[in-house]
């Protein structure tokens, strides 16, 4: 995904949205892995609403408000510490 917002998981490329939505429809559980920068990005197309996401894994740099928004939507949020070598 290009971004994650209150509207849901976002993407800008309509072809990617179409292909990824087909995969999401087939999934029993949707686990999303995004780094904290995705909370500051914007995109024009909704890939899926937040309520469709079962688990979201992100780093501890994610904004607290965004994490509260996700939890409020029923998303199980897993926070991980960034690797020092990547910092």
């Amino acid at each position: 995904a290009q971004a994650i917002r209150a509207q849901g998981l976002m993407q800008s490329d309509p072809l990617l949205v179409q292909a990824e939505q087909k995969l999401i429809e087939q999934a029993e559980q949707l686990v999303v892995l995004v780094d904290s920068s995705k909370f500051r990005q914007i995109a024009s197309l909704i890939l899926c609403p937040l309520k469709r996401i079962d688990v979201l894994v992100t780093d501890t740099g994610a904004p607290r408000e965004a994490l509260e928004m996700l939890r409020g939507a029923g998303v199980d949020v897993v926070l991980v510490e960034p690797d020092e070598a990547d910092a």
Side-chain angles (χ1 to χ4, degrees), residues 3 5 12 20 26 28-29 42-44 47-48 50 56 62 64 75 78 82:
R5 313 295 268 170
S12 290
E20 290 172 357
Q26 297 176 25
E28 290 181 28
Q29 185 177 36
I42 34 180
S44 56
L47 178 57
C48 73
L50 293 181
L56 183 130
R64 180 182 307 222
V75 178
V78 178

Side-chain angles (χ1 to χ4, degrees), residues 4-6 8-9 34 39 50-51 53-54 56-58 62-79:
I4 187 156
R5 313 295 268 170
L9 206 52
V34 294
F39 293 98
L50 293 181
K51 65 182 179 183
I53 301 170
D54 296 296
L56 183 130
V57 181
T58 191
R64 180 182 307 222
E65 305 82 29
L67 300 176
E68 291 172 2
M69 170 189 67
L70 290 164
R71 290 179 178 125
V75 178
D76 183 16
V77 177
V78 178
L79 293 175

Side-chain angles (χ1 to χ4, degrees), residues 1-4 9-13 37-39 41-44:
Q2 185 172 347
I4 187 156
L9 206 52
M10 310 291 290
Q11 187 63 270
S12 290
D13 185 328
S37 71
K38 301 300 184 192
F39 293 98
Q41 301 295 322
I42 34 180
S44 56

